Amino acid sequence: MSQAYIVGAFEHPTRLAVEQSVAQLHAEVAIGALEDAGLSRHDVDGYLCAGDAPGIGPLSIVEYLGLDVRYADSTDIGGSAPIAHVAHAAQAIAAGRCNVALITLAGRPRAAMERAGLVTEYTDYPESLFELPYRPMLAASYAMCAKRHMYEFGTTSEQLAWVKVAASQHAQHNPNALLRKVVTVDDVLGSPMIADPLHRLDCCVTTDGGGAIIVAREEIARSLRRPLVRLRGAGESIKYQLGPGFDLTTTAGKKSGAQAFAQAGVSPADIKYLSTYDSFTITVLLALEDLGFCAKGEGGRFVEDGQLISGIGRLPVNTDGGGLCNNHPAHRGGVTKIIEAVRQLRGEAHPAVQVKNCDLAVAHGTGGMLDRRHGCATAIFERV
């Protein structure tokens, strides 16, 4: 992992892509990341994408971008895939399979008016015959986990609301955020109920756009005039519910996080900033517990009273506004978690939310449905 550096990062500014195609969005974020790094497409010899890329895996986008690659990867574990891609790119670099790897994510679900829950309703999935008759919508999936957490640990809707409050406090400083209005706990609780106990403001936004990351070998990274951000450790895992192992309050992040911290040789106490998936407020709370920032069942108390707000709380989280307020492109938010972590480590976040002396940051993603099957990926980055 120590051989791989993030040398380019770019988040598309649009949140509504009426005129661009999905392929064009992939191209635009790629161009942005290359410009950020000071590289050209001719320097890229590795490419990674997931199911949001149109075509057959990476084949269409590699051609569309005019890349000449030695390595390609289309691992798809939902919204956490880009974080897994960073680790895969690092492994490919260490093995000599590529020197500069480009990772893109993009989509236009808002312009296409796609329902976020559609992913749970494909009839050709092997589980569909057993689940579709019960209409397992996405929000209800996460709501079930939230309700169980409340039952087991006494977590409250007010505590969940604090996750949204923190996101809104950060989003007010992000000119590209979809929702920049600061909200209160009462605002969250007063918003319409979507799936008990999750209110509308407990749910992430739906946006178009995307982002791109460039991972490069150390010698190349040091030749570029950009702050050095190194991948120090990473992990990924898949979890599903099976018989006596049925557990709605623990995610795959427990394993992916343990792998990442062990490889990095650091602990949660060393982390200055956390970018974590926030498809719903409960997603953040479970990640905090499973990554080891607090004990299982203590997530509600950990997040309340502004403890996730930069400059105020014990652990700044999602200082760009996250998926709850800023951006959740293509119903997949993993790439934005890496981008904001890179901003923080470079010292390029908005001054109002920039974490002082930020030298270690975590990007963590969750993809799929928490109450059934999902994947998590965790990456720990270091400013060198």
Side-chain angles (χ1 to χ4, degrees):
M1 292 298 164
S2 62
Q3 300 181 43
Y5 287 69
I6 307 297
V7 299
F10 178 79
E11 181 181 4
H12 205 296
T14 190
R15 301 296 179 261
L16 179 62
V18 176
E19 298 182 354
Q20 298 106 314
S21 67
V22 174
Q24 185 175 348
L25 291 171
H26 276 269
E28 290 176 358
V29 297
I31 292 168
L34 287 168
E35 290 178 347
D36 179 65
L39 296 169
S40 78
R41 64 182 175 88
H42 303 293
D43 297 307
V44 176
D45 59 353
Y47 176 70
L48 302 91
C49 66
D52 56 281
I56 304 172
L59 302 185
S60 296
I61 297 298
V62 165
E63 179 184 25
Y64 187 79
L65 297 178
L67 302 177
D68 182 11
V69 301
R70 297 186 290 139
Y71 174 80
D73 185 329
S74 58
T75 299
D76 193 350
I77 48 174
S80 57
I83 299 173
H85 289 161
V86 171
H88 295 189
Q91 292 163 353
I93 289 170
R97 301 183 66 185
C98 67
N99 292 313
V100 177
L102 168 67
I103 302 165
T104 67
L105 178 149
R108 53 190 304 276
R110 188 177 173 208
M113 295 186 289
E114 296 174 359
R115 292 184 295 116
L118 187 63
V119 69
T120 67
E121 297 185 355
Y122 289 136
T123 57
D124 59 344
Y125 288 1
E127 65 272 10
S128 293
L129 289 175
F130 304 94
E131 297 180 358
L132 285 188
Y134 300 97
R135 300 302 306 275
M137 298 302 294
L138 192 62
S141 165
Y142 285 73
M144 191 185 307
C145 298
K147 200 71 171 179
R148 183 67 190 184
H149 202 277
M150 291 177 168
Y151 173 78
E152 289 191 27
F153 306 113
T155 308
T156 66
S157 291
E158 288 81 2
Q159 289 172 331
L160 289 178
W162 273 107
V163 177
K164 173 71 173 190
V165 170
S168 74
Q169 287 285 340
H170 296 147
Q172 67 176 314
H173 304 294
N174 183 350
N176 295 321
L178 183 67
L179 305 178
R180 298 184 64 192
K181 179 182 176 181
V182 174
V183 300
T184 66
V185 169
D186 287 341
D187 290 332
V188 179
L189 300 182
S191 64
M193 186 70 74
I194 301 299
D196 187 19
L198 300 180
H199 300 79
R200 178 183 291 168
L201 294 184
D202 284 297
C203 308
C204 72
V205 299
T206 296
T207 55
D208 301 341
I213 299 294
I214 298 177
V215 186
R217 185 178 297 281
E218 182 175 3
E219 308 91 88
I220 295 172
R222 292 188 179 278
S223 72
L224 303 171
R225 296 180 179 180
R226 303 296 287 130
L228 292 173
V229 176
R230 179 175 65 182
L231 176 64
R232 183 153 171 172
E236 59 190 90
S237 182
I238 292 173
K239 182 177 183 290
Y240 55 92
Q241 308 293 353
L242 181 65
F246 196 88
D247 180 5
L248 293 174
T249 61
T250 301
T251 73
K254 183 175 182 179
K255 291 184 178 179
S256 68
Q259 294 168 14
F261 279 108
Q263 189 174 75
V266 298
S267 73
D270 299 313
I271 302 302
K272 303 291 180 59
Y273 168 72
L274 171 64
S275 272
T276 188
Y277 217 81
D278 56 346
S279 47
F280 299 88
T281 51
I282 185 62
T283 318
V284 174
L285 192 146
L286 294 180
L288 288 166
E289 295 177 348
D290 293 338
L291 293 177
F293 290 102
C294 62
K296 179 57 64 179
E298 294 182 3
R301 290 180 289 276
F302 188 93
V303 304
E304 63 187 357
D305 298 326
Q307 292 301 319
L308 305 185
I309 300 174
S310 183
I312 297 175
R314 69 184 80 181
L315 179 66
V317 171
N318 297 346
T319 48
D320 60 342
L324 287 169
C325 293
N326 172 35
N327 194 11
H328 193 241
H331 304 310
R332 295 165 174 259
V335 74
T336 62
K337 305 310 167 198
I338 306 167
I339 293 168
E340 184 66 4
V342 171
R343 290 192 192 110
Q344 283 287 352
L345 291 167
R346 287 177 170 178
E348 296 174 353
H350 190 283
V353 299
Q354 176 65 52
V355 177
K356 294 181 179 179
N357 303 315
C358 187
D359 56 353
L360 281 173
V362 171
H364 176 72
T366 305
M369 288 73 69
L370 286 185
D371 68 329
R372 282 160 284 161
R373 60 206 64 82
H374 66 275
C376 284
T378 310
I380 299 174
F381 299 104
E382 178 184 31
R383 184 187 66 225
V384 180

